[in-house]
Amino acid sequence: MRHAFIITAYKDFEFIKKTVEVYLQEADCYIHVDKKVDIPAEFKEWVNNTRGVYVYSKYKINWGSYKHISAILYLMKMALKNGEYSYFHVISANSFINRPMKEVTQFFDKSGKKNFLEVIDLDEDDKERVIEPWYIYYHFLHLYDKRTKFGNNFDWYFCKVQKRLGIRRKTIYKYKGLVYCHLTKEAVQYVLQYVKKNPGYLRNLKMCNIGEEFFFQNILMYSAFKESVYPSHLFYTKWNEGGVAQFLVEEDWEEIMDEKYLFVRKFGEGSESVFERICQTIN
């Protein structure tokens, strides 16, 4: 069976076209474009003339808000409705592969139905409880943009007020990790059924800071799928000291092509030459 790429996007449509045309060798692509963004007419025409590409624009997505998870779940539902897929790959639009597509899909098909996602055990790796304020205090990132000065300051002061007043949510998460992952069809079906049966789970995440980083981990790690989880999302990302993903450049080539990765992010201004070099290499 083919694979399904679950892609969330909001800009760089020419880059999306270039990457998706590579993915289509072995996969169908389901793309959600932030509803706040006007999709270029040229991109719409390309979608209409390209088999295996499905584009939706259902949610307005602020950075770190639960709406990102809502978009991902919607794409998964559409993919399950449209076709039969062995794996679902949740990736960002500024990502790409570092191996030929045939090699990428064969890796997963021969993995014994493992589910690949980053899993950080907070009891073991966050003994200082640095992450705890992300979920014990109320955050409303779907209402304000934390990337703006106003949004960031409001969120910071709002948490300070809650701490001063002794407000503390009862929500607890043991596991954390980036939302990017590679899940079997069976795992995706289980996640969707779990959310349907437990609507309070998504409601709790709605009021978290970057709730998406708890979503898959705290469903699958408490299920029969725990034994199938391989705790890596197979992405290479270059982080700065502040924990912000940086654009890839030629100097990152050795890390980009490391055999323990199948995907790399992120591409943007200054990444043009390294992206073209990857394309030449995998072709």
Side-chain angles (χ1 to χ4, degrees), residues 215-253:
F215 181 78
F216 289 114
Q217 288 78 1
N218 289 282
I219 294 177
L220 296 177
M221 293 299 287
Y222 287 103
S223 75
F225 288 94
K226 179 178 180 178
E227 298 303 317
S228 71
V229 170
Y230 185 88
S232 170
H233 56 9
L234 305 176
F235 269 87
Y236 169 71
T237 305
K238 181 175 67 173
W239 303 97
N240 67 10
E241 292 182 357
V244 177
Q246 301 296 289
F247 291 141
L248 299 172
V249 294
E250 285 283 351
E251 287 76 9
D252 303 313
W253 183 253

Side-chain angles (χ1 to χ4, degrees), residues 2-27:
R2 286 173 69 80
H3 290 216
F5 274 53
I6 306 299
I7 304 169
T8 51
Y10 68 98
K11 64 176 183 178
D12 297 336
F13 292 96
E14 284 301 315
F15 180 79
I16 294 170
K17 286 170 57 177
K18 291 178 181 179
T19 57
V20 166
E21 285 172 351
V22 176
Y23 303 151
L24 290 175
Q25 298 171 16
E26 297 285 330

